[in-house]
Amino acid sequence: MKKRILAASLAAVMSLSTLAFAEGENTQVDLISEENTIVEEITAPVEMPLFVTDDLVCIEINEDNSIFARDALGPDFLITVNDSTLIFNSKGEVKTLSDIKKDTSFTAYDYASNPRVLMYPETYTPKIIIINEENSMAFADTFKKSETLGQFVNTQNTLALNIADETVVVDEKGEKIENKDFDDTDLLVFYSMSTFSIPAQTTPEKIVVLSRPVNEEIKEEIKAEKLAVNSKEIEGEIIYKDDLMLLPFRAIIEAYEFNVTWNEEDKSVIYGPGYTIKIGENSYILGRMMPIELEVAPQIINDKTYVPASYFEKVLGKKLTNIDGTLNIEEAVIEEVTVEE
């Protein structure tokens, strides 16, 4: 599966001489060109983007209104849509599932922190679907105020926003927002042109202010002493460090009947079909997901590998509940979907 960070630099091939930034109603508008554009590289630390994306083509709409789609490299996807899924075209116009037909090209935006359960076809519910149209672009990420540029720049330092009076700003329900202070705000930006600079600069035509995903991590007040997998108690000690719950990795993984192997050379643990975590490396990955950081890196405690409890939620997609002092790790149940060619 091809996953990529939606890069604003793709817009660099657009014309540079037709984009203008208006700072006010009576301000003279100057055309931006290579001569008068300041090319300035931002050296701030790069963070993980809010979304990963899949560029897809609709193969068919199923009876349950899910979308069977395929990307350019061939992998198949089953895209489900719920009431919270935002659907637009790349011009910022609100659309519905009925606007997606066979051969429709669209981009699905999924939170980078969301786990995906390995199955065929790979199934997930995106936060945003953008129906692709010519001469217009959409971009979703977290934006912060740049002290260098005085503008709002995304986490990868690839796109800077020049907010004009005519820029339409709404919330997810389409209601107008007057406040345009977007420091540390998740935004869906619609634009048609950008400068050939680092970062690329654009005056958005429309901005949708996104609601942040609910953090479903185990709350600090939960103090479990025993472990269970699918309601069956297993051996293993739960350890708390500064109120952070750490769980014994091998005991839980083996309860799912995966083989676990220790690699002494690089201090890594290999399990299942080639999945790996490394001691002291706060980078967790499963299959073709983007690596994510959790509260702490895997660590050795009492000669056993421990990971934060959130690993089993955010990476493996499990549900963790405290039942009378026993932490129960439930396996996510997803029905396999068969799509007829």
Side-chain angles (χ1 to χ4, degrees), residues 211-257:
S211 300
R212 292 197 168 178
V214 177
N215 187 342
E216 297 180 348
E217 293 181 9
I218 295 179
K219 304 299 184 295
E220 293 182 358
E221 65 268 20
I222 295 179
K223 296 289 183 180
E225 297 181 355
K226 297 180 181 180
L227 272 175
V229 171
N230 294 329
S231 300
K232 182 178 180 180
E233 191 170 327
I234 64 173
E235 295 291 333
E237 180 185 4
I238 299 174
I239 293 178
Y240 292 91
K241 279 191 172 183
D242 299 324
D243 289 327
L244 177 64
M245 180 185 286
L246 302 175
L247 301 181
F249 182 81
R250 179 184 289 270
I252 297 171
I253 294 299
E254 288 184 341
Y256 282 100
E257 299 183 354

Side-chain angles (χ1 to χ4, degrees), residues 14-30:
M14 303 296 292
S15 171
L16 308 180
S17 61
T18 56
L19 177 62
F21 301 130
E23 297 180 355
E25 293 181 359
N26 300 319
T27 302
Q28 181 178 354
V29 177
D30 295 325

Side-chain angles (χ1 to χ4, degrees), residues 66-269:
S66 60
I67 307 169
F68 179 55
R70 185 168 293 155
D71 75 2
L73 299 179
D76 296 334
F77 297 83
L78 193 64
I79 305 299
T80 61
V81 176
N82 58 28
D83 292 338
S84 64
T85 303
L86 304 176
I87 304 178
F88 298 91
N89 64 12
S90 53
K91 296 179 180 179
E93 298 169 341
V94 177
K95 297 295 180 179
T96 66
L97 185 61
S98 62
D99 293 302
I100 301 177
K101 313 289 185 182
K102 178 177 171 57
D103 296 329
T104 296
S105 171
F106 67 96
T107 302
Y109 295 69
D110 191 26
Y111 283 115
S113 59
N114 281 355
R116 297 190 185 185
V117 179
L118 298 178
M119 59 181 296
Y120 176 83
E122 186 167 348
T123 303
Y124 66 97
T125 303
K127 172 66 176 179
I128 302 167
I129 290 177
I130 300 295
I131 299 173
N132 299 324
E133 304 228 0
E134 293 183 0
N135 302 323
S136 57
M137 287 163 283
F139 180 86
D141 203 352
T142 302
F143 286 78
K144 295 184 178 181
K145 186 68 172 290
S146 167
E147 295 181 1
T148 305
L149 292 177
Q151 301 162 338
F152 300 106
V153 182
N154 71 310
T155 58
Q156 303 298 298
N157 301 319
T158 55
L159 186 66
L161 306 182
N162 293 281
I163 312 299
D165 290 341
E166 60 268 25
T167 299
V168 177
V169 182
V170 298
D171 61 17
E172 292 186 5
K173 296 180 180 179
E175 297 178 359
K176 189 174 181 180
I177 295 177
E178 297 295 338
N179 180 24
K180 296 183 179 180
D181 181 5
F182 299 134
D183 188 27
D184 195 25
T185 305
D186 302 336
L187 304 175
L188 172 59
V189 179
F190 297 93
Y191 63 104
S192 57
M193 300 179 185
S194 66
T195 61
F196 190 43
S197 59
I198 303 175
Q201 300 184 41
T202 188
T203 299
E205 294 155 12
K206 181 178 181 178
I207 294 175
V208 179
V209 179
L210 302 171
S211 300
R212 292 197 168 178
V214 177
N215 187 342
E216 297 180 348
E217 293 181 9
I218 295 179
K219 304 299 184 295
E220 293 182 358
E221 65 268 20
I222 295 179
K223 296 289 183 180
E225 297 181 355
K226 297 180 181 180
L227 272 175
V229 171
N230 294 329
S231 300
K232 182 178 180 180
E233 191 170 327
I234 64 173
E235 295 291 333
E237 180 185 4
I238 299 174
I239 293 178
Y240 292 91
K241 279 191 172 183
D242 299 324
D243 289 327
L244 177 64
M245 180 185 286
L246 302 175
L247 301 181
F249 182 81
R250 179 184 289 270
I252 297 171
I253 294 299
E254 288 184 341
Y256 282 100
E257 299 183 354
F258 279 112
N259 293 324
V260 180
T261 304
W262 169 255
N263 187 330
E264 178 64 29
E265 183 176 349
D266 62 357
K267 306 297 181 184
S268 65
V269 180

